[in-house]
């Protein structure tokens, strides 16, 4: 007698039906959305800057105008151990400019420990409604304690207290422990005129990029990819494959 297999029909996007059998993986290969039309491409002549920071500013500010994008400054930060084992999580960008991209976190967290032993990181923004993504690769370093303290005190007081109450990434018995710590701190610092001291284990980082890629999705899947990177010592831009940018940057179009 043959083995009976349990089949389930799940309607998914584009009215396609997928057959799922027990002990089989779920097929979502047909899930796709329409990107931009061929007449809405991202060409080199449309660059607003010949270095990545000005181009990022233009795209980021456009993302900030779209109410559908709740947190345009959310970026997926990827770190790795000294042995190259990766991990990724979302953090919030809190500043950017020609010096790099800034964010803040707990110095005892997993990401902080990995950045301490391996400063090579990557970060990705994805603004779905715009069909755009920005990828950043570079090295990370801590910003000054003074700058971290200034930013810390711009945060809402409950957020300051939460940073003091949590020893990020460490195991904890229950949420009640966090709430107890928070309650103690609230009694001490939720007093008019009293300042919450920045914990010594909390502060900021800056990613100093060596490469920044701008991606725009296209309906025919011939997506646009323009990558800025630092020029190598032996490279000479030819104006065809490699274009000369500003401030020591070059840019090139990558195949999708």
């Amino acid at each position: 007698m043959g083995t009976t297999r349990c089949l389930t029909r799940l309607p998914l996007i584009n009215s396609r039906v997928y057959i799922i059998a027990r002990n089989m993986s779920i097929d979502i290969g047909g899930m796709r959305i329409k990107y931009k039309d061929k007449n809405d491409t991202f060409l080199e002549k449309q660059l607003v800057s010949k270095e990545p920071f000005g181009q990022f500013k233009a795209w980021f500010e456009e993302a900030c105008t779209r109410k559908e994008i709740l947190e345009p400054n959310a970026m997926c930060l990827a770190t790795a151990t000294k042995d190259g084992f990766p991990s990724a999580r979302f953090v919030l960008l809190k500043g950017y400019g020609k010096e790099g991209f800034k964010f803040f976190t707990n110095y005892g967290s997993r990401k902080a420990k990995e950045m301490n032993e391996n400063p090579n990181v990557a970060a990705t923004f994805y603004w779905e409604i715009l069909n755009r993504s920005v990828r950043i690769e570079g090295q990370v370093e801590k910003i000054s304690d003074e700058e971290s303290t200034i930013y810390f005190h711009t945060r809402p007081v409950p957020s300051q207290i939460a940073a003091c109450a949590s020893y990020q990434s460490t195991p904890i018995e229950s949420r009640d422990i966090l709430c107890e710590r928070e309650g103690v701190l609230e009694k001490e610092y939720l007093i008019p005129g009293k300042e919450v001291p920045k914990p010594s284990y909390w502060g900021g980082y800056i990613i100093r990029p060596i490469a920044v890629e701008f991606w725009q999705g296209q309906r025919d899947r011939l997506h646009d990819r323009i990558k800025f990177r630092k020029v190598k010592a032996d490279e000479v831009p030819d104006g065809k494959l490699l274009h000369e940018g500003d401030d020591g940057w070059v840019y090139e179009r990558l195949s999708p």
Side-chain angles (χ1 to χ4, degrees):
M1 182 179 294
T3 302
T4 301
R5 305 179 78 184
C6 177
L7 301 180
T8 304
R9 290 181 179 271
L10 291 181
L12 286 180
I13 199 166
N14 297 334
S15 300
R16 295 189 62 179
V17 177
Y18 291 76
I19 307 300
I20 301 171
R22 183 179 293 163
N23 298 326
M24 292 179 64
S25 62
I26 298 175
D27 180 8
I28 59 173
M31 293 182 67
R32 54 178 58 90
I33 64 172
K34 293 181 178 179
Y35 292 112
K36 296 181 182 290
D37 290 321
K38 288 185 177 181
N39 60 358
D40 192 13
T41 52
F42 176 46
L43 304 178
E44 287 81 350
K45 66 182 181 181
Q46 295 168 322
L47 289 168
V48 301
S49 175
K50 294 301 178 66
E51 46 82 21
F53 305 108
Q55 185 63 43
F56 178 83
K57 181 177 184 291
W59 275 22
F60 180 73
E61 288 181 349
E62 184 175 352
C64 289
T65 67
R66 302 298 293 264
K67 63 181 180 180
E68 304 96 330
I69 304 176
L70 300 181
E71 288 188 311
N73 60 330
M75 64 180 185
C76 184
L77 174 70
T79 58
T81 64
K82 61 183 178 181
D83 299 321
F85 192 88
S87 64
R89 78 291 291 156
F90 280 88
V91 298
L92 295 179
L93 178 72
K94 289 299 180 179
Y96 67 92
K98 290 192 175 183
E99 72 279 9
F101 300 86
K102 297 178 182 179
F103 64 95
F104 295 83
T105 191
N106 187 303
Y107 289 151
S109 64
R110 175 179 176 178
K111 57 183 169 295
K113 291 177 180 178
E114 291 180 356
M115 289 187 294
N116 186 55
E117 63 183 37
N118 183 352
N120 298 311
V121 301
T124 303
F125 295 85
Y126 179 53
W127 302 303
E128 180 181 5
I129 196 70
L130 297 174
N131 301 142
R132 286 175 175 171
S133 179
V134 178
R135 299 172 58 191
I136 299 165
E137 299 171 17
Q139 283 81 43
V140 70
E141 60 187 59
K142 285 183 179 179
I143 64 175
S144 70
D145 189 64
E146 179 183 9
E147 185 175 355
S148 294
T149 300
I150 291 172
Y151 170 71
F152 182 80
H153 289 124
T154 68
R155 307 176 84 206
V157 173
S159 296
Q160 296 180 39
I161 289 175
C164 297
S166 175
Y167 309 133
Q168 195 176 115
S169 299
T170 61
I172 192 169
E173 185 177 347
S174 71
R175 183 176 176 82
D176 292 340
I177 303 298
L178 283 176
C179 293
E180 289 173 8
R181 292 178 189 166
E182 182 182 50
V184 171
L185 292 168
E186 286 177 340
K187 289 180 181 179
E188 184 174 358
Y189 292 110
L190 286 184
I191 300 172
K194 191 163 187 180
E195 187 175 81
V196 182
K198 182 189 78 65
S200 59
Y201 51 80
W202 190 95
Y205 290 89
I206 184 168
I207 302 173
R208 301 196 184 278
I210 58 173
V212 183
E213 179 185 325
F214 296 86
W215 176 97
Q216 182 167 288
Q218 299 297 335
R219 182 174 296 183
D220 58 8
R221 293 316 193 256
L222 295 180
H223 307 310
D224 290 310
R225 299 174 61 188
I226 297 179
K227 179 179 180 179
F228 286 87
R229 60 178 176 81
K230 289 293 188 179
V231 65
K232 299 175 184 177
D234 58 345
E235 284 186 313
V236 178
D238 60 7
K240 295 180 179 180
L241 290 179
L242 190 64
H243 304 272
E244 185 174 3
D246 295 332
D247 302 333
W249 292 90
V250 292
Y251 61 97
E252 57 198 352
R253 175 172 290 270
L254 302 180
S255 301

